[in-house]
């Protein structure tokens, strides 16, 4: 029985070492923390694209034909 307990402990230690990657900052939901400012940059770029499209629709000269 004592050796069985020791084997279980070694097995538990084996899996504990194997699962260390799960606590890495780049794994799981931690990606947001690894790329600070990316969300704000995407929103700002989207606002820029919408603004540029609105500007081009409103202030495009009538004789300008781009293909």
């Amino acid at each position: 029985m004592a050796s069985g307990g020791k084997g279980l402990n070694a097995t538990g230690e084996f899996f504990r070492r194997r699962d260390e990657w799960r606590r890495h900052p780049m794994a799981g939901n931690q990606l947001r923390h690894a790329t600070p400012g990316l969300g704000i940059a995407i929103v700002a770029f989207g606002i820029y694209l919408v603004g540029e499209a609105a500007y081009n629709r409103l202030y495009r000269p009538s004789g300008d034909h781009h293909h």
Side-chain angles (χ1 to χ4, degrees):
M1 276 267 168
S3 63
K6 186 176 179 182
L8 182 62
N9 188 16
T11 303
E13 188 66 30
F14 171 76
F15 284 114
R16 185 176 300 129
R17 283 182 280 150
R18 294 277 302 205
D19 287 340
E20 285 181 2
W21 67 269
R22 295 180 193 270
R23 291 184 294 274
H24 192 273
M26 293 293 285
N29 293 331
Q30 299 294 329
L31 184 61
R32 179 179 44 177
H33 298 295
T35 56
L38 182 63
I40 294 171
I42 290 173
V43 169
F45 185 65
I47 291 171
Y48 165 76
L49 290 178
V50 169
E52 184 182 21
Y55 178 83
N56 286 338
R57 284 185 183 258
L58 292 173
Y59 297 108
R60 181 178 55 194
S62 61
D64 190 16
H65 295 292
H66 286 286
H67 291 285

